[in-house]
């Protein structure tokens, strides 16, 4: 019975991993995000960018302003004056001011909560997605995305990135042209390197939001390693003292 139960659990876990892997890879290859949630400056920049460009539509319903301030090394005044754009209380969750009804009316569906987006899709997927928007006159909002085709979302970062246009290659099985790559038609306010860092900062912040405890684990990990090192040294000294008497 135990072996059978273990086999079922292993099969279920493998299936979940395959499902998430297929979901992350959907739409084409992804770029390495290069995120580091231990980089507090990147987290702070990412929080500012997210609140300015993403929070108008997307909530972070599992994150409180107060928790974000504590983890990111921000004061209450800094959060309430610079990051809280909805007038919520300091201890409340980060919820968008956009209602589900307005989201459905404007975008065809309510924008999803992004608290766990990096847990589901992966940081590399989010990083690549934010870089993959292009102009598409056939879409209701005039935008499309090579990684997530027909996404019901405009490019929130177009002023910094610029306007990308598709270069089509071969046609697919149903005769539709396939986007071979994107080219920058109109430059934005940032060059490619700067924009990569902007997207990386947002992705880093979302990675933190998906698992805030990871920051604590990193901090505790250093102390655990130091403790184990000290314990090993003391054990070695004890061994030396013991064998001295034996010999």
């Amino acid at each position: 019975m135990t072996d059978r139960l273990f086999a079922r659990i292993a099969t279920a876990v493998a299936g979940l991993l395959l499902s998430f892997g297929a979901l992350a890879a959907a739409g084409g290859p992804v770029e390495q995000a290069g995120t580091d949630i231990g980089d507090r400056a990147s987290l702070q920049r990412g929080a500012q960018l997210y609140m300015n460009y993403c929070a108008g539509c997307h909530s972070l319903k599992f994150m409180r302003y107060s928790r974000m301030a504590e983890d990111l090394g921000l004061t209450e005044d800094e959060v309430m004056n610079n990051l809280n754009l909805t007038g919520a209380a300091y201890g409340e969750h980060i919820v968008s001011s956009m209602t589900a009804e307005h989201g459905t009316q404007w975008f065809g569906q309510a924008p999803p909560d992004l608290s766990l987006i990096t847990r589901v899709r992966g940081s590399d997927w989010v990083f690549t997605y934010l870089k993959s928007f292009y102009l598409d006159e056939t879409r209701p909002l005039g935008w499309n995305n090579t990684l997530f085709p027909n996404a019901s979302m405009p490019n929130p970062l177009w002023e910094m990135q610029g306007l990308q246009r598709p270069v089509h290659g071969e046609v697919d099985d149903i005769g539709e042209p396939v986007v071979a790559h994107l080219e920058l038609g109109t430059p934005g306010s940032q060059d490619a390197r700067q924009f990569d860092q902007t997207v990386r900062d947002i992705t880093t912040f979302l990675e933190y939001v998906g698992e805030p405890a990871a920051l604590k684990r990193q901090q505790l990990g250093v102390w655990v390693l130091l403790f184990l090192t000290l314990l090993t040294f003391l054990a070695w000294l004890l061994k030396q003292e013991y064998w001295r008497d034996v010999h």
Side-chain angles (χ1 to χ4, degrees), residues 2-214:
T2 302
D3 292 342
R4 186 177 303 173
L5 178 60
F6 177 79
R8 289 180 179 178
I9 294 174
T11 301
V13 170
L16 285 173
L17 291 175
L18 288 174
S19 299
F20 284 141
L23 183 63
V30 296
E31 298 182 42
Q32 295 293 316
T35 55
D36 176 13
I37 62 171
D39 186 345
R40 175 169 284 186
S42 180
L43 285 172
Q44 292 177 349
R45 292 193 303 266
Q48 183 74 66
L49 288 162
Y50 183 90
M51 295 305 170
N52 287 336
Y53 292 96
C54 308
C57 299
H58 298 281
S59 298
L60 300 173
K61 63 183 180 182
F62 298 131
M63 174 59 60
R64 297 179 186 273
Y65 288 100
S66 54
R67 173 65 185 271
M68 179 177 64
E70 177 184 352
D71 289 344
L72 270 59
L74 301 171
T75 66
E76 180 175 349
D77 287 340
E78 287 174 332
V79 169
M80 297 303 285
N81 294 333
N82 302 318
L83 301 181
N84 185 347
L85 306 180
T86 63
Y90 182 58
E92 290 183 345
H93 293 91
I94 301 174
V95 178
S96 169
S97 58
M98 178 182 291
T99 64
E101 292 75 13
H102 285 158
T104 303
Q105 177 184 350
W106 296 335
F107 302 113
Q109 59 182 352
D113 181 274
L114 297 183
S115 299
L116 302 177
I117 186 63
T118 59
R119 298 285 298 276
V120 175
R121 294 283 193 176
S123 296
D124 293 343
W125 191 96
V126 173
F127 178 79
T128 306
Y129 172 74
L130 290 174
K131 295 179 58 180
S132 301
F133 284 96
Y134 65 92
L135 294 173
D136 185 352
E137 291 78 9
T138 67
R139 297 294 299 156
L141 297 177
W143 292 93
N144 211 328
N145 192 287
T146 55
L147 187 63
F148 192 21
N150 300 326
S152 301
M153 173 180 169
N155 182 4
L157 308 175
W158 70 268
E159 291 181 313
M160 290 180 285
Q161 182 184 30
L163 303 177
Q164 296 190 121
R165 298 186 180 277
V167 176
H168 295 98
E170 301 176 355
V171 297
D172 59 18
D173 295 338
I174 60 175
E176 294 292 332
V178 177
V179 178
H181 63 273
L182 302 177
E183 62 179 18
L184 190 63
T186 304
S189 60
Q190 297 182 343
D191 60 28
R193 182 189 60 80
Q194 291 171 329
F195 187 69
D196 275 1
Q197 186 61 56
T198 291
V199 176
R200 183 174 298 111
D201 290 339
I202 296 174
T203 305
T204 302
F205 174 68
L206 287 173
E207 186 176 331
Y208 149 73
V209 171
E211 192 177 8

